[in-house]
Amino acid sequence: MKRLVALLLTATMIASLAACGGAKESETTDTATATTEQGESSEAAEDVDDTVYDIKVSGHPYIHALPSVYAIEQGYFKCEDPTVDMYSGGPVQNEAIASGAWDVGTTGTGGIVLGAVGYNLKAIGFTAPDENTVDLWVRPDSPLAKCTPDEMGVYGTADDWKGLTVLCATGTSCHMMLIGLLEHLGLTEDDINLIDTSVADSYAAFKAGTGDVVALWSPFGFQAEEDTDWVKVANAVGLGITQPCVIVATEDAIQNDWDGVYAYLKAYLKAAAELNADPEGTAQMLYDFEEEQGISLSETAAVKEVENRPFASIERNEELFTVRDDGGCEANDILLVFAEFFEGQGKISQDDLNKLRENGMVDTSFMEAYMSGK
């Protein structure tokens, strides 16, 4: 079994040392009822207050940023700067941490791993997953398109892939999926020509004739299905790769405005639950949001996006961020799998990996406060 798949299959058995330690506890005692993704109600922390926080929010112009935008629009989270700053992906979003450009937000798996290494970024919740919508595509005249897929849905052999030019945003979920494919074939990045470009630019460049293979996440894959005759030659699900998107907070924000970060998390979870409960309305909201962000998205693609990427429920987040007797938690186990994956591919060092194992990539104090009704 290939290394990545083996790591993923054993994720729940990983014990992380000091991985799930929390920051300070909030003294807030408000309580309320939040709607779950099934439309049911459960006792949870108060989801809005009248405090205006000096907390800056970030995201990517995709579905996982939608609850942030919705929460601010609905007044669930009041902040001095109501703008949600959008970044094309995790790497550029992480670079902005150093200048204090943002405090909280959402990112992909690659973003949290590299952000934890470079800036001690912490995951405080999980949100819409990536794996159902991260794929590799070729044009119909590609030799790969004529191959028979293997048991993991991969078209072509190692020899077929060697020397191909692949458009892929590095340090992202697309990049993880690409490396997983190469590992499955017994190849490395040295065996292909990798062009690092954003997913949106990759899509446009591939339509213009650049490259042999393109790595896409939604909604671009859905657009490819509607507007092109491209062939999907690999996908994250087929490769056995789980790719959560995460709600994150910077080290500075956690240390200096814990209550503000907590207020944001509560607002985000409330918004996500409401969006899950109204898929039709959420699809229309996503369509409008993508239009505002300059991303072409059909109404059909918006519906597919909502269907394939539901926001993680409150109950699931409780499971993920509950600290076990060994000090670990499922959320950190999942993220450590990808940290090990990155280390094996030379994207982070062994020292980086050891630090992540020791310090963890999650802060459970916010979810613990939420579930206790504080």
Side-chain angles (χ1 to χ4, degrees), residues 324-346:
R324 301 185 301 260
D325 291 341
D326 64 4
C329 62
E330 186 180 354
N332 199 68
D333 292 348
I334 291 170
L335 298 180
L336 269 179
V337 168
F338 290 99
E340 294 188 5
F341 178 40
F342 269 29
E343 188 276 330
Q345 295 294 325

Side-chain angles (χ1 to χ4, degrees), residues 37 63-64 66 128-129 132-133 218-219 222 272 274-287 290 297-312:
E37 70 174 322
I63 192 170
H64 56 76
L66 202 59
N132 290 333
T133 57
S218 60
F222 295 133
E274 292 182 0
L275 294 173
N276 272 340
D278 181 18
E280 183 176 348
T282 300
Q284 183 61 52
M285 193 181 308
L286 178 64
Y287 175 83
E290 298 289 10
L297 178 71
S298 71
E299 293 183 355
T300 300
V303 170
K304 290 182 179 179
E305 175 82 331
V306 171
E307 290 175 347
N308 283 277
R309 302 187 65 189
F311 303 106

Side-chain angles (χ1 to χ4, degrees), residues 8-341:
L8 290 164
L9 290 174
T10 58
T12 58
M13 296 185 289
I14 297 173
S16 49
L17 299 176
C20 295
K24 72 171 185 176
E25 292 294 328
S26 170
E27 296 301 321
T28 308
T29 58
D30 296 331
T31 59
T33 300
T35 305
T36 68
E37 70 174 322
Q38 290 80 24
E40 300 172 351
S41 294
S42 62
E43 291 303 316
E46 174 63 60
D47 31 40
V48 289
D49 61 41
D50 293 326
T51 306
V52 179
Y53 294 96
D54 186 17
I55 290 284
K56 296 181 286 294
V57 184
S58 72
H60 306 171
Y62 305 113
I63 192 170
H64 56 76
L66 202 59
S68 293
V69 175
Y70 181 73
I72 292 174
E73 288 179 347
Q74 295 299 311
Y76 300 158
F77 180 66
K78 300 178 177 65
C79 47
E80 292 184 6
D81 181 358
T83 303
V84 180
D85 290 331
M86 297 297 169
Y87 297 87
S88 62
V92 291
Q93 184 184 24
N94 287 335
E95 289 173 4
I97 294 175
S99 64
W102 61 274
D103 304 297
V104 296
T106 53
T107 190
T109 318
I112 179 59
V113 172
L114 297 178
V117 169
Y119 303 95
N120 200 26
L121 187 66
K122 297 294 185 183
I124 60 174
F126 274 26
T127 182
D130 270 337
E131 66 265 13
N132 290 333
T133 57
V134 178
D135 316 295
L136 286 164
W137 300 79
V138 299
R139 301 181 189 87
D141 59 354
S142 167
L144 288 177
K146 300 173 176 59
C147 296
T148 300
D150 64 16
E151 71 283 357
M152 300 185 81
V154 174
Y155 286 59
T157 65
D159 288 339
D160 295 322
W161 282 83
K162 284 182 178 178
L164 296 183
T165 297
V166 182
L167 308 181
C168 179
T170 62
T172 69
S173 300
C174 283
H175 192 201
M176 287 186 181
M177 186 263 302
L178 173 62
I179 297 175
L181 166 93
L182 295 173
E183 194 171 83
H184 169 68
L185 295 172
L187 302 175
T188 69
E189 287 184 14
D190 293 335
D191 295 306
I192 62 171
N193 300 312
L194 178 61
I195 297 179
D196 179 16
T197 181
S198 74
V199 176
D201 289 341
S202 292
Y203 182 78
F206 198 68
K207 286 191 74 172
T210 302
D212 303 303
V213 184
V214 64
L216 300 176
W217 55 38
S218 60
F220 298 102
F222 295 133
Q223 290 299 107
E225 290 177 341
E226 291 186 30
D227 300 341
T228 75
D229 52 3
W230 299 348
V231 178
K232 186 188 301 185
V233 293
N235 61 85
V237 171
L239 289 164
I241 301 174
T242 301
Q243 295 181 316
C245 286
V246 293
I247 309 166
V248 293
T250 65
E251 182 178 32
D252 182 70
I254 292 172
Q255 291 180 351
N256 296 309
D257 196 352
W258 192 98
D259 289 338
V261 175
Y262 181 44
Y264 165 75
L265 175 65
K266 289 190 292 181
Y268 187 99
L269 294 175
K270 174 179 172 62
E274 292 182 0
L275 294 173
N276 272 340
D278 181 18
E280 183 176 348
T282 300
Q284 183 61 52
M285 193 181 308
L286 178 64
Y287 175 83
D288 294 338
F289 172 65
E290 298 289 10
E291 286 286 302
E292 292 172 1
Q293 296 301 316
I295 295 174
S296 177
L297 178 71
S298 71
E299 293 183 355
T300 300
V303 170
K304 290 182 179 179
E305 175 82 331
V306 171
E307 290 175 347
N308 283 277
R309 302 187 65 189
F311 303 106
S313 68
I314 293 169
E315 291 81 5
R316 179 56 180 148
N317 267 298
E318 180 181 18
E319 295 172 351
L320 288 162
F321 286 82
T322 295
V323 180
R324 301 185 301 260
D325 291 341
D326 64 4
C329 62
E330 186 180 354
N332 199 68
D333 292 348
I334 291 170
L335 298 180
L336 269 179
V337 168
F338 290 99
E340 294 188 5
F341 178 40

